């Protein structure tokens, strides 16, 4: 009886003292009971990671690899996070875990995106009331200068593509360089995705890195190269068999690799080259954003464009623009 009276007195005091009505007290009890129930409906961060991997099991292997890598590093370097209830995670917790687990701004940036995806799924499942990472500023870091191929390097690639040994690799190389399609995407393209009548290449959801479809314009230089190669009929893969190995050998033949005339090959350099020369010649950022498959122009401007050393004259040479058009470009 004494405990009950103590609880009743505390309830009255917290609900307004002498002004507390029975209706207000009952409302406080209901809200407290609901909050207690919600607080018990949660899972550990490790369980939320497992559920995320199940939900995203159909995503690209690289996407799943990133989720496993960053969440594994977080739980390994911050052991308390593994069994931490996701409902109790605060912005301060998240910020501390990210800073403790990763030393570089780039790593924290990527880890924050992965962790935010897990907490967004937890929110949809009812395991938490908010995504605390939405209140944590994204880490800042300085982007490295994006690499762009110069005319000599482009010429070496074109020469290697014309050699009999690598003729079957040529279309994939041309499409990466003159359509900006990612290496992983081009490996999933089929010849039926190349529509020469409409002059577009369809990157379907199953082939796209981001899971969204897009159409990329076949510019005249790419049209000439593909037409000269001859477009096979049917649903055949665009890349030759054993493409990853052939692609490495192709780059070595062109001058990249051990003992080559150029430095190490830089990932996505063909995509960056396409974006920079496209921006320099066409001067159409909305079009380039659509062709690259970006949701906004922020990423495009911040990471993919390197205008240093890219001139209008060089862009005209890249796109093989006739002299008459170049004068009026």
């Amino acid at each position: 009886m004494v405990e009950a009276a103590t609880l009743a007195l505390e309830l009255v005091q917290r609900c307004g003292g002498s002004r507390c009505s029975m209706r207000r007290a009952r409302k406080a009890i209901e809200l407290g009971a609901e909050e207690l129930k919600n607080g018990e409906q949660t899972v550990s961060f490790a369980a939320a990671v497992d559920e995320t991997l199940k939900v995203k099991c159909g995503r690209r292997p690289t996407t799943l690899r990133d989720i496993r890598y960053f969440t594994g590093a977080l739980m390994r370097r911050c052991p308390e996070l593994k069994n931490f209830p996701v409902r109790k995670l605060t912005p301060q917790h998240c910020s501390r875990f990210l800073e403790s687990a990763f030393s570089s701004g780039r790593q924290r940036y990527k880890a924050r995106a992965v962790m935010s995806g897990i907490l967004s799924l937890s929110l949809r499942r009812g395991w938490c009331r908010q995504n605390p990472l939405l209140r944590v500023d994204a880490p800042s870091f300085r982007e490295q200068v994006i690499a762009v191929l110069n005319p000599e390097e482009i010429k070496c690639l074109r020469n290697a593509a014309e050699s009999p040994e690598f003729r079957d690799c040529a279309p994939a190389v041309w499409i990466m360089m003159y359509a900006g399609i990612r290496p992983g995407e081009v490996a999933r393209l089929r010849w039926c995705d190349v529509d020469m009548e409409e002059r577009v290449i369809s990157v379907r959801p199953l082939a796209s890195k981001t899971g969204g479809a897009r159409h990329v314009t076949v510019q005249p230089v790419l049209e000439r190269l593909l037409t000269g190669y001859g477009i096979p009929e049917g649903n055949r893969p665009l890349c030759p068999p054993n493409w990853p190995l052939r692609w490495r050998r192709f780059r070595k033949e062109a001058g990249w690799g051990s003992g080559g005339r150029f430095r190490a090959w830089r990932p996505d350099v063909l995509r960056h080259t396409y974006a920079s020369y496209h921006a320099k010649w066409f001067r159409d950022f909305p079009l380039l954003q659509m062709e690259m498959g970006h949701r906004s122009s922020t990423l495009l401007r911040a990471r993919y464009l390197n205008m240093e050393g890219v001139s209008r004259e060089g862009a005209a040479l890249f796109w093989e623009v006739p002299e008459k058009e170049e004068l009026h470009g």
Side-chain angles (χ1 to χ4, degrees), residues 169-231:
C169 298
V173 177
W174 295 331
I175 286 175
M176 287 189 287
M177 183 156 52
Y178 292 108
I181 295 177
R182 299 177 179 93
E185 293 174 336
V186 81
R188 294 185 285 270
L189 287 180
R190 310 187 81 82
W191 278 108
C192 60
D193 297 320
V194 181
D195 189 337
M196 298 304 290
E197 292 186 8
E198 294 292 330
R199 293 181 59 188
V200 296
I201 298 173
S202 300
V203 183
R204 304 179 191 277
L206 291 177
S208 171
K209 174 186 176 182
T210 59
R214 71 182 190 276
H215 285 174
V216 184
T217 303
V218 176
Q219 297 294 341
V221 57
L222 180 56
E223 182 181 18
R224 288 193 293 271
L225 290 168
L226 292 177
T227 302
Y229 177 86
I231 306 296

Side-chain angles (χ1 to χ4, degrees), residues 294-329:
H294 292 161
R295 294 182 179 179
S296 73
S297 62
T298 303
L299 179 64
L300 180 65
R301 293 175 184 271
R303 298 188 61 189
Y304 281 87
L305 299 183
N306 175 22
M307 308 311 291
E308 183 179 351
V310 179
S311 64
R312 286 281 291 173
E313 181 181 1
L317 290 173
F318 178 82
W319 295 112
E320 296 185 3
V321 178
E323 185 176 349
K324 184 180 296 185
E325 292 184 33
E326 183 178 349
L327 292 174
H328 298 282

